[in-house]
Amino acid sequence: MKTKILGCLFTTAAALSMVSCSDFLDTTPTDSASDKLIWSKYEYAQLQANYMYEDLNLINGYGDGTGCTRDCFIGLSESLTELFKYGGYNYTSMNRIPSEFAYGTASTLTKSYVDSYLGCWGSMYRYISTANQSISNLHKYGTFADEQKAEIEAEFRFFRAFYYFTLAKRYSKMILYTDNMEDYQKDHEAVGRTEVYEQIYQDLYFAGEHLPVSIKPNSRLTSGVAYALLSRAMLYAERWQDAKDAALKVMGMGYSMPADLETPYTPGGEGAIFQFCFDLTAQTHQFDCYYSPGGDKAAFANPVSGGYGCPTQEMVESFEQVTGGIPDWSPWHTAGGTQATPPYDQLEPRFAHTVLYNGADWKGRTIESFVGGADGWMEWMKQDMCEGKSSTSYYLRKRVDESNLFSNGSKCTKPFTFIRYAEVLLNYAEACYRLNDAPEAVAKLNDVRTRPAVGLPALSSSLSGDALFAAIRQERKVELAYEGHYYWDMRRWKLAHTAFTGNRAHGFKIEKEANGALTYYYVEVDDQDRNFPEKMYTNPIPQDELENNKLITQDPAWN
């Protein structure tokens, strides 16, 4: 593998201010310094760690100006499933390309194509080498207090664990490097996921034990962040007891569920465990511009067209009625259309917090996603660019800033919430289910679904077996919608090859009649059946790695 050990340089005060919301970013450093100087003071070592915070934001935050989460390099990862649709047909990462992945033809899902858009091998190993070099230098040159050195090491080990977790989600075998820099060589044998997840466990556990205990979500890494990520990673590793234990650590730290649904996505909001914050004077993103409804363009001089990707009818029909149970949507599936109003007002509160629908209130106006409406509708595969129109009649509401009137052009500043307390409770519930503790799993599911902000009826305490697993999947699907979990959950559960094969996604085409009545037509937003070949449970090893490392071979699924 070609590695590049990045030099240890201080960055500018402006660049440092990009990565979080706390006062430590205001320190003005020098432009450069030797390794010995960097590791001579705790404050200097903190500045070195700031590089890694920025990398973490680029990988899993609002991103590098594309407006999409970077956990998946082709926009929101839900677009690879039936829950989200990019409507334009331009050959770009937030138009046609996600649909090509969803259709999964042999001519499309080649090794080079999958590596280009779902791969991250080279970038993760560059980040890992930086983390390892930093840990090595800390041990070699660090002259400040042992407790402070342990805290700094914990930060770098958290980052290293996150990078390896990003790899382990994708690849079945990887090269395992630690801070022993003598291990870096051109040819290196690969190890399986089991060994990598053990390293992830050791790093995150160390981080959890040595990072500060604080429930403030928008500062530096905390013990809660480390254990929360550990609970997530150990579900992927199928180490159920470790996942449960990590979640229990977080649950004992004083986190709580907020009284409303929006608070975890606001700066420092209750229910958030870790956030990236943005500032008009430093770093912004463009998420709102890409996903706002088309009517915002005219009303608020939106400089970007909006509506790039939209929730599907399949997502809408995943939400329960507020009284429990999924409503009967069959009257709206008729070929000839219906003028019956969909039961939006009967759905649980998470629906209206997640999805904007025709008739919804938004920025002091009413969404008009019917044909010719202020927001508009477009037929799938008929326009190169959506230009603010929706191909499903829905728009994304969750994570889009309703207060953004685009007075600062395309600059958006809503925080990205990296991990939430609700996820930890769901991680705990799944671990309990796997450990045959069904009553405890049900109790935690009920903590999420019956909280005042949601208000759904409690699940039966006698729920168990397949029915309980289905309830866990349902709760993760709606609670964590559009936060980058569903596609990866279905991969780790090995359910994607059946759930994502042989079907098509849908939306509504809404026409306004001369008398003002609305007719809802159930329409397909795919031009071919979807397909998830089983080889997609792993990613192919990049060709340049195979050429430069004689001791690694291609994953058998891709031979």
Side-chain angles (χ1 to χ4, degrees):
M1 187 183 83
K2 294 180 179 178
T3 62
K4 180 180 180 182
I5 310 302
L6 301 183
C8 297
L9 299 175
F10 287 142
T11 187
T12 66
L16 290 174
S17 66
M18 293 179 181
V19 297
S20 183
C21 299
S22 73
D23 292 339
F24 80 90
L25 297 173
D26 297 332
T27 303
T28 303
T30 56
D31 291 331
S32 64
S34 68
D35 288 338
K36 290 183 179 180
L37 176 58
I38 287 175
W39 303 107
S40 66
K41 290 186 178 181
Y42 171 67
E43 293 79 10
Y44 293 172
Q46 282 189 310
L47 293 176
Q48 177 66 14
N50 287 346
Y51 285 113
M52 313 301 281
Y53 281 89
E54 177 63 8
D55 291 340
L56 193 64
N57 172 30
L58 291 176
I59 297 164
N60 210 86
Y62 279 121
D64 56 357
T66 63
C68 58
T69 54
R70 292 292 303 279
D71 186 52
C72 175
F73 293 98
I74 51 175
L76 298 181
S77 59
E78 286 86 356
S79 67
L80 306 180
T81 79
E82 77 283 9
L83 302 187
F84 199 73
K85 187 69 178 181
Y86 285 104
Y89 215 61
N90 263 354
Y91 202 77
T92 64
S93 61
M94 288 195 292
N95 286 283
R96 179 179 174 180
I97 291 175
S99 293
E100 286 197 343
F101 268 87
Y103 301 151
T105 63
S107 60
T108 296
L109 296 185
T110 63
K111 287 179 282 191
S112 61
Y113 191 78
V114 173
D115 180 54
S116 294
Y117 291 101
L118 285 182
C120 59
W121 186 279
S123 58
M124 289 306 104
Y125 276 111
R126 286 193 295 273
Y127 296 141
I128 288 166
S129 69
T130 304
N132 282 335
Q133 182 72 77
S134 297
I135 297 170
S136 177
N137 286 344
L138 173 65
H139 291 163
K140 186 184 301 184
Y141 301 117
T143 57
F144 43 91
D146 288 345
E147 182 178 348
Q148 292 176 325
K149 284 196 288 186
E151 181 182 323
I152 294 296
E153 181 178 351
E155 286 190 288
F156 283 109
R157 291 184 67 168
F158 175 93
F159 296 131
R160 181 171 67 186
F162 176 75
Y163 304 145
Y164 268 120
F165 178 47
T166 303
L167 288 167
K169 288 166 62 174
R170 291 165 166 81
Y171 301 96
S172 64
K173 54 184 178 179
M174 291 141 277
I175 300 170
L176 189 58
Y177 292 107
T178 67
D179 48 286
N180 179 3
M181 303 311 293
E182 293 181 0
D183 284 345
Y184 278 84
Q185 52 190 313
K186 181 177 179 180
D187 298 320
H188 207 296
E189 292 183 349
V191 299
R193 282 176 170 150
T194 299
E195 292 88 342
V196 173
Y197 275 118
E198 175 60 22
Q199 182 63 52
I200 291 169
Y201 174 84
Q202 295 296 335
D203 281 345
L204 289 178
Y205 188 85
F206 182 92
E209 291 296 294
H210 292 92
L211 287 170
V213 176
S214 169
I215 62 172
K216 185 179 180 181
N218 57 350
S219 60
R220 294 191 84 99
L221 291 171
T222 65
S223 177
V225 181
Y227 280 119
L229 183 60
L230 183 58
S231 75
R232 180 192 297 179
M234 291 300 100
L235 290 183
Y236 282 77
E238 299 184 359
R239 293 170 55 162
W240 316 121
Q241 189 63 51
D242 289 332
K244 179 182 178 181
D245 291 344
L248 279 170
K249 289 272 194 179
V250 181
M251 291 157 60
M253 291 180 178
Y255 293 100
S256 58
M257 299 288 273
D260 66 272
L261 295 173
E262 181 59 23
T263 294
Y265 309 95
T266 60
E270 182 184 15
I273 294 178
F274 192 52
Q275 294 177 321
F276 295 106
C277 294
F278 298 86
D279 187 294
L280 287 172
T281 64
Q283 186 184 32
T284 60
H285 58 84
Q286 293 183 297
F287 193 87
D288 302 344
C289 297
Y290 285 107
Y291 295 102
S292 288
D296 283 7
K297 182 176 178 65
F300 309 109
N302 183 352
V304 182
S305 64
Y308 271 55
C310 303
T312 62
Q313 189 63 26
E314 280 71 20
M315 181 73 249
V316 173
E317 294 183 15
S318 297
F319 291 96
E320 296 180 55
Q321 300 174 104
V322 70
T323 54
I326 303 294
D328 178 13
W329 284 93
S330 58
W332 289 270
H333 291 186
T334 57
T338 178
Q339 291 189 351
T341 302
Y344 299 137
D345 60 350
Q346 301 174 28
L347 300 179
E348 52 137 319
R350 287 179 295 191
F351 163 69
H353 179 255
T354 304
V355 178
L356 280 173
Y357 56 94
N358 187 70
D361 294 330
W362 177 252
K363 296 185 178 180
R365 65 183 185 89
T366 300
I367 293 294
E368 296 181 353
S369 56
F370 51 82
V371 177
D375 301 289
W377 178 85
M378 60 169 282
E379 185 175 357
W380 159 246
M381 213 183 76
K382 296 298 183 181
Q383 288 183 217
D384 287 342
M385 296 293 292
C386 54
E387 297 181 354
K389 297 180 176 65
S390 171
S391 60
T392 65
S393 87
Y394 300 109
Y395 293 94
L396 184 65
R397 183 168 197 162
K398 190 177 192 180
R399 300 179 57 199
V400 179
D401 186 0
E402 187 172 3
S403 69
N404 187 354
L405 305 185
F406 301 106
S407 57
N408 293 292
S410 63
K411 295 179 179 179
C412 311
T413 59
K414 187 171 185 176
F416 169 65
T417 299
F418 173 75
I419 196 163
R420 293 194 290 126
Y421 187 53
E423 184 206 334
V424 173
L425 296 181
L426 294 174
N427 294 346
Y428 178 84
E430 183 177 346
C432 288
Y433 160 74
R434 301 290 187 179
L435 294 168
N436 298 314
D437 189 352
E440 184 67 3
V442 172
K444 282 298 169 282
L445 288 180
N446 284 334
D447 284 349
V448 175
R449 61 184 280 115
T450 67
R451 69 191 195 267
V454 177
L456 284 172
L459 298 170
S460 170
S461 59
S462 63
L463 199 64
S464 62
D466 292 343
L468 176 54
F469 185 37
I472 290 170
R473 299 198 308 271
Q474 162 69 12
E475 205 57 39
R476 291 184 69 90
K477 185 178 185 180
V478 297
E479 175 66 33
L480 304 177
Y482 306 124
E483 296 180 49
H485 292 276
Y486 179 64
Y487 173 74
W488 299 104
D489 279 346
M490 295 296 281
R491 275 181 60 149
R492 70 181 175 86
W493 289 326
K494 298 296 187 290
L495 296 175
H497 69 285
T498 54
F500 300 158
T501 296
N503 47 28
R504 301 188 182 193
H506 298 81
F508 282 151
K509 176 184 180 182
I510 309 172
E511 292 187 350
K512 190 172 186 177
E513 311 299 341
N515 63 1
L518 298 175
T519 303
Y520 293 81
Y521 296 93
Y522 188 63
V523 295
E524 291 182 353
V525 290
D526 285 322
D527 52 282
Q528 58 185 290
D529 287 350
R530 292 164 174 258
N531 179 52
F532 186 99
E534 291 191 56
K535 69 179 182 179
M536 284 296 293
Y537 283 123
T538 62
N539 277 28
I541 306 296
Q543 185 61 34
D544 60 352
E545 179 67 30
L546 297 173
E547 292 173 355
N548 286 285
N549 184 352
K550 297 177 182 179
L551 298 181
I552 195 169
T553 57
Q554 184 59 267
D555 188 298
W558 288 91
N559 282 330

